[in-house]
């Protein structure tokens, strides 16, 4: 089973001065933050704030112009079998449409040395066990999202990074995801999740990291942030402190 | 590396395209085989003789080479076409190793396709030749089979290299077709250097097949030249994907 009452290692994400420039555009600007284990951290910002670029820099998919990202002491690229430590769900459409769902996960499992049994476990966990024999092109967007989450879990990682995981999920799926993220953090895992569903996110996260135009706006324990700023909700804080709020 | 190659083979085995392509190529080679024995001695076709078997074994070399190239392109460029490359590089951040595994997979697929297709063709050709008492020259036949298998293996890796370089299945295939059908014939003429053809991939392929054309390298030299093209393309492609962000 996936649930483990005792976890031997806890991993902290450190971003130090992360910067990404594309010619004149600075997508991420000197971003420094820490994501702690045993907590769900919400990564929030308007469209184009640099959230996805930041996540991709953490995972070695995008090269920072400056700065670095580490999981404890090592960068993603320095890990010998990174998916055993870090699971990431970035793009639910990154599965070959002609491949069966189960085969897609078996390929990931074979790459990182996980068992076939583990594939069945994660399929069961995300509620796709019955549909996994179908080709991916027949999956709904919610099923794709679940498949992507299952893929991230195959290595039973300490760290989980989700980019917009509620996208495509129906209300039942969102409810399931909330409990699921809480369960993962409860097991001592480090969970970083970006989302635009602020009301939903507020019910799930412990910490918040709010960025705008590639720069940090506020970060820290969500309850403290709301208390210190005098805002009643994450959405109020978001609207007050970002360019989206200025458009109102 | 073994694990990565196995994974790459599994990726190809779990989608429909490569299976259909291999089945179609095998069927075509069987047609070649039927044609080779059924039309022998009719019209311009030579009668059954010692050259029949090596001739059959050599005849599908370019077809099987193209099929291997096609699957190599699917194995490499398909990762970008279907956006699976993100997961591939998440699971294996060492991109050089991924490209090397794909190149080896291209070679294995090329060998596998040609061995399968030639075996099926032989099931048609051999019984007829044996029944008619036709000579079966072992050395010439082995050389012909090796040439076909070698071309298929090299084109498999070439397809991967092209796919890595272009990161687009359509662009890779159009480039390969334009090169082989147009550029290889035009370049030596434009440069007023007909001897240049021997040093192009087409000339190298002709050398491996043993075509009767002046100025070609010997078969081993042709094989090495084709391998050098594949490595050069793959190295350039690898350098580019090491520098580029994965979209």
């Amino acid at each position: 089973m996936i649930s483990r009452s005792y976890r031997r290692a806890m991993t902290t994400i450190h971003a130090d001065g992360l910067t990404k420039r594309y010619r004149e555009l600075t997508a991420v600007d000197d971003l420094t933050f820490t994501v702690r284990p045993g907590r769900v951290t919400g990564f929030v910002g308007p469209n184009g704030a640099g959230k996805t670029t930041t996540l991709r820099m953490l995972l070695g998919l995008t090269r920072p112009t400056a700065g670095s990202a580490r999981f404890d002491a090592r960068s993603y690229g320095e890990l010998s079998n990174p998916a055993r430590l870090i699971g990431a769900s970035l793009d639910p459409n990154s599965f070959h449409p002609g491949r069966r769902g189960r085969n897609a996960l078996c390929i990931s499992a074979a790459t990182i040395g996980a068992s076939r049994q583990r594939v069945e476990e994660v399929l069961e966990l995300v509620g796709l066990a019955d549909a996994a024999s179908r080709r991916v092109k027949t999956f709904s967007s919610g099923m794709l999202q679940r498949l992507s989450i299952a893929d991230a879990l195959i290595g039973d990682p300490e760290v989980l990074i989700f980019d917009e995981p509620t996208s495509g999920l129906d209300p039942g799926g969102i409810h399931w995801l909330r409990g699921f993220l809480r369960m993962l953090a409860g097991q001592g895992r480090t969970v970083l999740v970006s989302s635009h569903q602020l009301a939903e996110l507020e019910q799930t996260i412990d910490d918040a990291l709010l960025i705008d135009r590639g720069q940090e706006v506020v970060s820290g324990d969500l309850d403290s942030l709301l208390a210190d700023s005098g805002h009643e909700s994450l959405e109020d804080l978001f609207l007050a402190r970002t360019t989206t709020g200025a458009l109102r | 590396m073994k694990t990565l190659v196995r994974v790459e083979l599994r990726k190809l085995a779990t989608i429909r395209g490569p299976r259909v392509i291999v089945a179609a190529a095998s069927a075509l080679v069987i047609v070649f085989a039927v044609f080779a024995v059924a039309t022998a001695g009719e019209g311009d076709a030579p009668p059954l003789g010692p050259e029949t078997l090596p001739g059959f074994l050599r005849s599908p070399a370019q077809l099987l080479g193209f099929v291997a190239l096609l699957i190599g392109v699917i194995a490499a460029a398909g990762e970008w076409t279907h956006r699976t490359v993100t997961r591939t590089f998440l699971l294996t951040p060492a991109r050089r190793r991924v490209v090397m595994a794909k190149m080896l997979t291209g070679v294995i697929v090329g060998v596998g396709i040609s061995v399968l297709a030639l075996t099926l063709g032989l099931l048609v050709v051999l019984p007829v030749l044996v029944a008619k008492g036709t000579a079966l020259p072992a050395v010439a036949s082995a050389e012909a089979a090796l040439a076909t298998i070698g071309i298929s293996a090299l084109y498999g890796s070439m397809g991967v290299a092209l796919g890595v370089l272009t990161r687009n299945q359509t662009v890779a295939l159009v480039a390969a077709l334009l090169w082989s059908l147009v550029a290889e014939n035009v370049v030596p003429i434009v440069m007023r250097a007909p001897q240049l053809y021997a040093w192009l991939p087409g000339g190298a392929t002709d050398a491996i097949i043993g075509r009767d054309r002046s100025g070609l390298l010997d078969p081993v030299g042709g094989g090495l030249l084709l391998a050098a093209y594949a490595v050069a393309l793959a190295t350039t492609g690898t350098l580019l994907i090491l520098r580029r962000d994965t979209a």
Side-chain angles (χ1 to χ4, degrees):
Chain A
M1 274 304 292
I2 186 167
S3 58
R4 294 184 299 180
S5 55
Y6 172 70
R7 302 195 61 76
R8 280 174 290 183
M10 288 191 164
T11 305
T12 302
I13 306 173
H14 303 276
D16 184 14
L18 271 182
T19 301
K20 183 66 183 181
R21 288 190 202 94
Y22 299 100
R23 297 176 191 271
E24 294 84 28
L25 175 75
T26 302
V28 178
D29 189 5
D30 196 21
L31 199 54
T32 298
F33 61 86
T34 299
V35 181
R36 293 179 288 170
R39 300 175 74 81
V40 180
T41 300
F43 192 26
V44 186
N47 289 331
K51 299 186 298 295
T52 298
T53 304
T54 302
L55 297 184
R56 296 181 84 88
M57 283 195 285
L58 293 179
L59 297 164
L61 295 170
T62 295
R63 289 203 313 174
T65 310
S68 63
R70 288 172 293 115
F71 296 87
D72 283 343
R74 290 178 294 174
S75 70
Y76 193 87
E78 288 169 345
L79 298 164
S80 60
N81 195 358
R84 286 291 200 177
L85 181 71
I86 300 140
S89 165
L90 297 182
D91 178 6
N93 293 307
S94 63
F95 295 96
H96 193 295
R99 192 169 281 133
R100 297 177 197 283
R102 182 173 279 104
N103 282 337
L105 297 195
C106 283
I107 284 167
S108 295
T111 309
I112 65 172
S115 66
R116 180 76 190 244
Q117 163 85 15
R118 179 67 189 158
V119 170
E120 297 307 322
E121 279 176 16
V122 293
L123 282 170
E124 194 69 45
L125 195 71
V126 300
L128 276 182
D130 292 337
S133 300
R134 285 163 45 186
R135 293 189 194 280
V136 168
K137 64 184 165 196
T138 69
F139 280 23
S140 68
S141 53
M143 291 165 78
L144 281 173
Q145 193 64 262
R146 286 170 187 260
L147 188 66
S148 182
I149 292 169
D151 192 53
L153 291 167
I154 283 181
D156 197 13
E158 300 291 332
V159 179
L160 283 147
I161 296 176
F162 299 113
D163 192 9
E164 298 288 350
T166 52
S167 164
L169 291 181
D170 58 21
I174 292 174
H175 177 79
W176 164 81
L177 183 68
R178 186 197 309 157
F180 186 64
L181 295 177
R182 294 295 334 153
M183 179 194 80
L184 293 171
Q187 293 170 341
R189 301 180 206 247
T190 311
V191 182
L192 176 62
V193 51
S194 88
S195 177
H196 282 127
Q197 305 279 339
L198 299 183
E200 175 53 42
L201 199 61
E202 190 174 341
Q203 297 180 56
T204 313
I205 62 176
D206 305 294
D207 296 330
L209 169 60
L210 175 59
I211 67 166
D212 193 12
R213 294 176 176 175
Q215 294 181 313
E216 180 184 320
V217 177
V218 288
S219 68
D221 175 82
L222 179 62
D223 292 338
S224 305
L225 286 177
L226 294 179
D228 294 348
S229 63
H231 294 292
E232 288 188 357
S233 68
L234 179 61
E235 186 174 51
D236 287 345
L237 178 66
F238 178 91
L239 292 173
R241 301 292 297 272
T242 65
T243 45
T244 298
L247 294 174
R248 285 188 300 168
Chain B
M1 186 54 66
K2 239 192 250 175
T3 302
L4 286 181
V5 172
R6 253 190 240 127
V7 165
E8 289 301 327
L9 288 169
R10 192 166 190 169
K11 285 181 186 175
L12 290 171
T14 50
I15 52 176
R16 216 177 260 164
R19 290 202 298 267
V20 172
I21 293 166
V22 171
S26 300
L28 270 176
V29 173
I30 292 170
V31 171
F32 280 21
V34 172
F35 196 74
V37 290
T39 64
E42 289 180 19
D44 291 340
L48 294 180
E51 247 313 297
T52 303
L53 183 58
F56 159 70
L57 290 169
R58 214 177 275 121
S59 62
Q62 281 174 313
L63 166 76
L64 294 173
F66 179 71
V67 165
L69 180 131
L70 191 58
I71 294 178
V73 166
I74 290 171
E79 293 264 20
W80 279 271
T81 302
H82 299 291
R83 294 156 67 175
T84 51
V85 68
T86 300
R87 292 170 59 247
T88 297
F89 287 158
L90 275 176
L91 298 172
T92 314
R95 300 180 186 187
R96 269 195 202 93
R97 294 189 70 224
V98 173
V99 175
M100 279 173 65
K102 285 185 183 290
M103 292 285 283
L104 286 172
T105 303
V107 170
I108 293 168
V109 166
V111 170
I113 292 169
S114 48
V115 167
L116 171 71
L118 290 181
T119 305
L120 292 173
L122 283 173
L123 291 175
V124 175
V125 171
L126 273 181
V128 176
L129 296 183
V130 170
K132 300 215 169 181
T134 310
L136 305 172
V139 174
S141 300
E143 281 175 358
L146 271 180
T148 297
I149 294 167
I151 285 170
S152 190
L154 288 167
Y155 271 82
S157 62
M158 189 91 92
V160 168
L162 260 178
V164 170
L165 188 64
T166 60
R167 302 182 303 161
N168 182 302
Q169 289 182 169
T170 310
V171 171
L173 287 176
V174 169
L177 286 173
L178 282 178
W179 179 262
S180 66
L181 298 177
V182 182
E184 293 230 316
N185 299 312
V186 172
V187 169
I189 296 169
V190 170
M191 296 187 73
R192 295 169 193 270
Q195 71 280 11
L196 188 65
Y197 178 76
W199 297 93
L200 298 177
T205 307
D206 285 350
I208 300 171
I209 296 173
R211 285 247 159 82
D212 188 17
R213 184 168 175 164
S214 68
L216 292 178
L217 302 174
D218 60 59
V220 174
L224 289 174
L225 180 59
L226 215 47
Y229 273 113
V231 170
L233 285 174
T235 304
T236 311
T238 306
L239 289 176
L240 287 175
I241 61 171
L242 284 175
R243 288 168 51 92
R244 286 173 177 157
D245 295 334
T246 305

